[in-house]
């Protein structure tokens, strides 16, 4: 069965692209463009194997969502337009496996996901 | 051995093939670069239309301008692109209206593959012999770095050439994104520029071939682009005899020891009103009587005035015009570029077999072409050398403002250009109780024969030109002043200084 990844990103075009690119890795995504939709999606898909959260456009409530992912033992990546030391340490403190700057390298993302699936 | 050796493809741009010594070499990639509005796309369209007219398979790849707009713009300048397939890779309006932007991945990673697939698919289907890419600069944004860009472009061009295409591609160069890498990668470079109101084209690279260097003027109109190759007189030769052409005026022929030779450059120099144009017309009249065709290019006087002036001195220029042995052309200021004018003259010589060309005047030419003094001399030199090499006799009218010092200055600046210099000046003829203004003519230089060193009075009347016997008693001809005191003869004094003394 294909791994399922829950994705939160305010830009629907990012969701479409991620869906296309990750399908090549055999990963199915469930995309949400708001925090509420993301929480609802996680409730509907408790079997989600991975998650990716784009911090662009999110408010402080995003950290609660990160804590929830951590509690559910769903490994997740955080991506942001700029990643400084504060964002890095906050993300890791809230359970993220990695905090990556945008734009992502497609090959690097695929390699990271492979590692996360195995781990 | 290169299977394309000796074969050339027409660029489709009038005048450009001459600069490229025959056209583009097939199976190569050529860069057209220049700022906005310089005509890069137009050159590409000319290239494809020429191929289509020759039943060659063509393809236009547009990265920025949508196909609809491109076809409309092409139609506006007389191009019919109906037989030219277009691969439109420009962004659609959806991209903006439906917010199709993304930032999760770089465009170079997302767009590259789909664009490449679209291009390969079209190339494999059409197998084009001519490809125009407008503009290759867009590929830069599909590459992760300069190294990848270079490799991708080289690989892309090689792919097209291996498919037997000849490629023309444009680039948008700016300070932020210079296109030096594309220049290195191309087999030839065509630069376009439009400083102020002029347009220019020049070639800086053309692998495997010679080309005509320098800046060549060009025009863009409703008929597309036309280039006017910089005239190089030495590229043209014709065999002819140096026949002597009589002026038909005895005294003038005596001064010249028979007349002026064919294919010589003759300067008629002197102040306004001394008869330079009249003497020029006299030579033309005599040439017409022998069946030779002449063209007079006037940069100052209207044609009707020239015809009336000729009538007033007994030269029936109207009759010559009707017979086709004389063509009078008025050139308006800023009507032509210098090389554009040269092309008009060339057509007269090569198609109408014109034997005498008269340019009235140097100052008028310079003003009409908006040239500095040195530029005007250089252009005139090239034109006169072409005419000379084609066996055409050239008469150039040069007006000077003052007295002899001006004539000497002319001789110095233009001396190397002229084979013969005939000068005219005013004289003051003093008799008891009165002073008359008279004109005199002399020869300063004659390259192919000796000449009479005297000064002679010239009269221009209804009956025509009359040149008298040598004036005796003049103390100086080349100095700043001259006095004539013949024994028991009226006293003549020359006007050489600006004040007329």
């Amino acid at each position: 069965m294909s791994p399922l990844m829950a994705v939160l990103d305010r830009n629907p075009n990012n969701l479409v692209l991620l869906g296309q690119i990750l399908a090549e890795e055999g990963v199915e995504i469930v995309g949400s463009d708001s925090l509420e939709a993301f929480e609802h999606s996680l409730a509907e898909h408790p079997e989600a194997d991975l998650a990716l959260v784009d911090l662009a456009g999110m408010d402080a409530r995003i950290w609660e969502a990160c804590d929830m992912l951590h509690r559910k033992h769903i490994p997740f990546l955080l991506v942001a337009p700029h990643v400084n030391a504060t964002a890095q340490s906050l993300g890791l403190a809230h359970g993220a496996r990695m905090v990556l700057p945008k734009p992502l390298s497609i090959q690097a993302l695929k390699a990271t996901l492979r590692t996360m699936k195995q781990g | 051995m290169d299977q394309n050796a000796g074969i050339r493809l027409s660029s489709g741009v009038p005048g450009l093939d001459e600069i490229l010594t025959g056209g583009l070499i097939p199976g190569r990639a050529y860069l057209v670069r220049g700022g906005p509005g310089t005509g890069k796309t137009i050159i590409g369209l000319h290239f494809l239309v020429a191929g289509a007219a020759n039943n060659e398979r063509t393809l236009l790849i547009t990265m920025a301008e949508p196909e609809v707009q491109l076809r409309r713009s092409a139609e506006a300048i007389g191009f019919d692109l109906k037989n030219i397939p277009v691969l439109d890779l420009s962004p659609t309006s959806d991209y903006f209206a439906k917010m199709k932007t993304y930032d999760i991945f770089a465009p170079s990673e997302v767009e590259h593959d789909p664009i490449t697939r679209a291009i390969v698919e079209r190339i494999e289907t059409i197998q084009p012999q001519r490809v125009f890419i407008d503009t290759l600069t867009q590929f830069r944004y599909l590459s992760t770095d300069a190294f990848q860009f270079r490799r991708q472009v080289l690989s892309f061009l090689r792919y097209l050439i291996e498919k037997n295409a000849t490629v023309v591609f444009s680039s948008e160069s700016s300070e932020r994104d210079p296109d030096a890498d594309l220049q290195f990668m191309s087999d030839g470079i065509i630069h376009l520029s439009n400083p102020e109101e002029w347009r220019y084209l020049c070639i800086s690279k053309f692998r495997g071939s010679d080309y005509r260097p320098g800046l060549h003027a060009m025009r863009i109109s409703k008929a597309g682009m036309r280039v006017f190759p910089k005239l190089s007189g030495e590229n043209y030769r014709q065999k002819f005899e140096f026949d002597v052409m009589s002026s038909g005026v005895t005294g003038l022929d005596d001064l010249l020891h028979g007349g002026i030779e064919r294919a010589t450059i003759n300067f008629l120099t002197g102040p306004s009103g001394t008869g330079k144009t009249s003497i020029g017309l006299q030579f033309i009249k005599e040439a017409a009587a022998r069946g030779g065709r002449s063209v007079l290019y006037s940069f100052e006087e209207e044609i009707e005035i020239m015809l009336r002036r000729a009538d007033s001195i007994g030269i029936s220029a109207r009759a010559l015009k009707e017979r086709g042995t004389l063509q009078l052309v008025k050139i308006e200021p800023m009507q032509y570029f210098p090389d554009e004018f040269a092309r008009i003259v060339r057509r007269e010589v090569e198609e109408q077999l014109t034997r005498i060309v008269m340019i009235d005047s140097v100052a008028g030419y310079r003003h009409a072409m908006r040239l500095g003094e040195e530029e005007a001399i250089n252009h005139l030199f090239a034109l006169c050398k072409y005419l000379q090499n084609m066996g055409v006799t050239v008469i150039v009218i040069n007006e000077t403002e003052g007295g002899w010092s001006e004539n000497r200055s002319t001789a110095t600046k233009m001396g190397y250009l002229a084979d013969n210099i005939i000068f005219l000046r005013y004289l003051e003829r003093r008799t008891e109780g009165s002073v008359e203004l008279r004109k005199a003519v002399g020869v300063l230089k004659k390259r192919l024969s000796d000449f009479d060193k005297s000064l002679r009075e010239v009269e221009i009347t209804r009956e025509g030109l009359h040149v008298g016997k040598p004036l005796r008693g003049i103390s100086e001809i080349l100095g700043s002043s001259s006095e004539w005191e013949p024994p028991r003869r009226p006293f003549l004094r020359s006007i050489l200084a600006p004040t007329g003394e």
Side-chain angles (χ1 to χ4, degrees), chain B residues 218-289:
Chain B
M218 64 174 191
R219 230 180 245 289
I220 294 176
S221 67
K222 286 184 182 166
M225 181 183 283
R226 174 174 275 286
V227 180
F228 305 101
K230 199 174 165 69
L231 184 61
S232 251
E234 61 268 16
N235 292 337
Y236 305 91
R237 289 272 167 218
Q238 266 215 15
K239 282 191 180 160
F240 51 86
E241 298 293 324
F242 282 98
D243 310 323
V244 175
M245 297 163 53
S246 162
S247 66
V249 176
T250 307
L252 189 53
D253 284 348
D254 287 345
L255 273 173
L256 294 164
H257 280 209
I260 57 177
E261 294 80 6
R262 184 179 165 186
T264 50
I265 300 167
N266 302 274
F267 267 64
L268 295 172
T269 183
S272 173
T274 46
K276 303 181 295 296
T277 303
S278 301
I279 290 181
L281 283 170
Q282 179 64 36
F283 277 106
I284 284 174
K285 175 191 162 195
E286 283 302 300

Side-chain angles (χ1 to χ4, degrees), chain A residues 11 13-14 17-18 21 102-106 109, chain B residues 98-107 109-110:
Chain A
N11 187 333
N13 298 317
N14 285 349
L17 269 173
L18 275 165
I21 299 295
K102 289 193 293 187
L104 302 173
S105 155
I106 292 178
L109 175 64
Chain B
K98 296 180 183 173
M99 296 294 286
K100 288 212 159 181
T101 57
Y102 56 84
D103 65 354
I104 190 74
F105 300 116
E109 293 212 67
V110 174

Side-chain angles (χ1 to χ4, degrees), chain B residues 191-467:
Chain B
H191 299 265
L192 305 177
S193 60
N194 56 351
E196 298 172 4
E197 60 264 48
W198 300 107
R199 287 184 182 273
Y200 292 108
L201 173 150
C202 76
I203 310 294
S204 65
K205 180 181 177 185
F206 193 23
R207 277 198 195 123
S209 171
D210 199 2
Y211 57 88
R212 203 177 290 187
L215 289 176
H216 307 279
M218 64 174 191
R219 230 180 245 289
I220 294 176
S221 67
K222 286 184 182 166
M225 181 183 283
R226 174 174 275 286
V227 180
F228 305 101
K230 199 174 165 69
L231 184 61
S232 251
E234 61 268 16
N235 292 337
Y236 305 91
R237 289 272 167 218
Q238 266 215 15
K239 282 191 180 160
F240 51 86
E241 298 293 324
F242 282 98
D243 310 323
V244 175
M245 297 163 53
S246 162
S247 66
V249 176
T250 307
L252 189 53
D253 284 348
D254 287 345
L255 273 173
L256 294 164
H257 280 209
I260 57 177
E261 294 80 6
R262 184 179 165 186
T264 50
I265 300 167
N266 302 274
F267 267 64
L268 295 172
T269 183
S272 173
T274 46
K276 303 181 295 296
T277 303
S278 301
I279 290 181
L281 283 170
Q282 179 64 36
F283 277 106
I284 284 174
K285 175 191 162 195
E286 283 302 300
R290 295 188 295 269
R293 178 180 158 88
S294 305
V295 179
L296 192 165
Y297 294 100
S298 173
F299 290 86
E300 293 164 7
E301 273 187 353
E302 297 300 322
I303 292 175
E304 185 54 37
I305 293 177
M306 281 192 277
L307 289 169
R308 287 187 188 201
R309 180 216 285 256
D311 284 340
S312 72
I313 58 171
I315 295 175
S316 50
R318 278 179 221 274
L320 298 179
K321 198 164 165 286
E322 277 157 28
R323 245 180 275 144
T325 49
L326 171 62
Q327 170 81 331
L328 294 159
V329 182
K330 172 76 184 4
I331 306 292
E332 301 295 339
M334 300 189 288
Q335 186 178 3
Y336 301 115
F337 299 118
D339 288 309
E340 193 175 2
F341 171 67
R343 185 176 159 271
I344 290 167
V345 177
R346 275 186 58 193
R347 280 225 307 254
E348 269 295 332
V349 170
E350 293 166 21
E351 292 171 21
Q352 305 296 331
L353 306 180
T354 295
R355 286 289 146 250
I356 296 182
V357 167
M358 182 162 147
I359 293 171
D360 191 2
S361 63
V362 172
Y365 171 84
R366 185 182 151 190
H367 174 70
M369 302 292 156
R370 286 183 297 163
L371 297 170
E373 189 178 6
E374 200 169 314
E375 268 184 296
I377 291 174
N378 290 340
H379 278 286
L380 262 182
F381 179 79
L383 180 58
C384 288
K385 275 297 150 191
Y386 159 78
L387 290 168
Q388 187 168 54
N389 289 344
M390 295 297 283
V392 175
T393 306
V394 189
I395 298 172
V396 180
I397 306 300
N398 181 54
E399 188 166 299
T400 56
E401 284 177 12
W404 175 242
S405 59
E406 285 283 342
N407 282 330
R408 192 163 52 191
S409 169
T410 298
T412 306
K413 283 180 191 158
M414 311 256 196
Y416 73 94
L417 176 56
D419 296 305
N420 308 322
I421 301 177
I422 300 167
F423 68 90
L424 293 113
R425 55 193 272 191
Y426 286 106
L427 293 174
E428 281 182 1
R429 185 167 186 249
R430 291 175 185 273
T431 54
E432 285 178 18
S434 71
V435 179
E436 284 179 343
L437 199 61
R438 308 299 276 264
K439 300 169 192 173
V441 62
V443 176
L444 186 62
K445 176 184 178 185
K446 198 158 188 292
R447 206 190 287 274
L448 297 182
S449 78
D450 199 2
F451 57 93
D452 190 322
K453 312 295 190 291
S454 66
L455 197 63
R456 298 185 182 216
E457 189 173 0
V458 58
E459 287 178 282
I460 304 169
T461 67
R462 285 181 184 281
E463 281 76 47
L465 259 72
H466 173 73
V467 174

Side-chain angles (χ1 to χ4, degrees), chain A residues 8-10 32-39 58:
Chain A
L8 169 58
D9 197 309
R10 285 215 178 274
S32 307
D33 59 7
S34 69
L35 196 52
E36 293 75 20
F38 186 63
E39 287 168 350
M58 299 297 171

